[in-house]
Amino acid sequence: MMRRRTEQAAPVTTARDKDLQRGAATVELGLVMALVMLLVVGIVDMGRAIHAYSALTHAAGRAARWAAVRSAQSEAPASLSMIEAKALSDTVGLDPEKVQVVTDYAPANAPGGIVSVSLSYDYQPLTPLGPSDLIRLTGASQITISY
């Protein structure tokens, strides 16, 4: 025996139903777009933070290398202010006013000693993270003094 298939009538859609569907789609679009924009801005923030960290690390390495070949016994010894100026000149894309430079010699500024250069930067993200929006980034380098 074959069963007969009963055909169902298509639901009747009124103009009011279509308006409600359009309104719901608009609200959904608004919610999704807000989340997508937050994600995009977060990705941009992460890229900016990685750039700032890379710039700090690069500048610390270059300043430490520069200081390592200019000990107190060399022809043109490097002073702490000269090392700070060198480090700040290499922090490309960062506000020099927000960069702190700390230089240390162990045990002394002489061949065989170690020069340490550390840079800190208070990074301000675009997206709010809480009550304190600043993130402290640090780049450091240590090199044995050669000359």
Side-chain angles (χ1 to χ4, degrees):
M1 279 204 225
M2 284 182 102
R3 288 189 175 178
R4 251 191 200 176
R5 225 171 159 188
T6 57
E7 291 187 24
Q8 295 178 352
V12 177
T13 306
T14 63
R16 183 172 186 266
D17 290 338
K18 287 181 182 180
D19 288 342
L20 288 175
Q21 288 176 355
R22 278 192 226 125
T26 304
V27 170
E28 290 170 1
L29 177 68
L31 292 172
V32 169
M33 285 304 291
L35 292 174
V36 167
M37 289 305 294
L38 185 62
L39 180 67
V40 167
V41 171
I43 290 170
V44 169
D45 260 348
M46 184 60 85
R48 289 179 60 234
I50 290 170
H51 165 72
Y53 176 75
S54 176
L56 289 174
T57 304
H58 177 75
R62 290 197 30 113
R65 174 71 183 128
W66 188 82
V69 296
R70 290 171 177 81
S71 72
Q73 298 172 0
S74 70
E75 294 177 12
S79 66
L80 295 178
S81 62
M82 291 169 67
I83 296 170
E84 181 176 350
K86 175 65 177 161
L88 291 176
S89 71
D90 287 331
T91 54
V92 178
L94 302 180
D95 182 6
E97 300 292 322
K98 294 182 180 179
V99 178
Q100 294 88 34
V101 181
V102 177
T103 303
D104 186 37
Y105 292 101
N109 185 5
I114 295 175
V115 60
S116 301
V117 179
S118 176
L119 280 71
S120 298
Y121 179 73
D122 290 328
Y123 171 72
Q124 175 72 49
L126 298 173
T127 53
L129 299 173
S132 175
D133 288 341
L134 296 178
I135 299 172
R136 168 87 28 146
L137 299 175
T138 304
S141 182
Q142 291 183 340
I143 296 182
T144 302
I145 299 172
S146 13
Y147 301 100

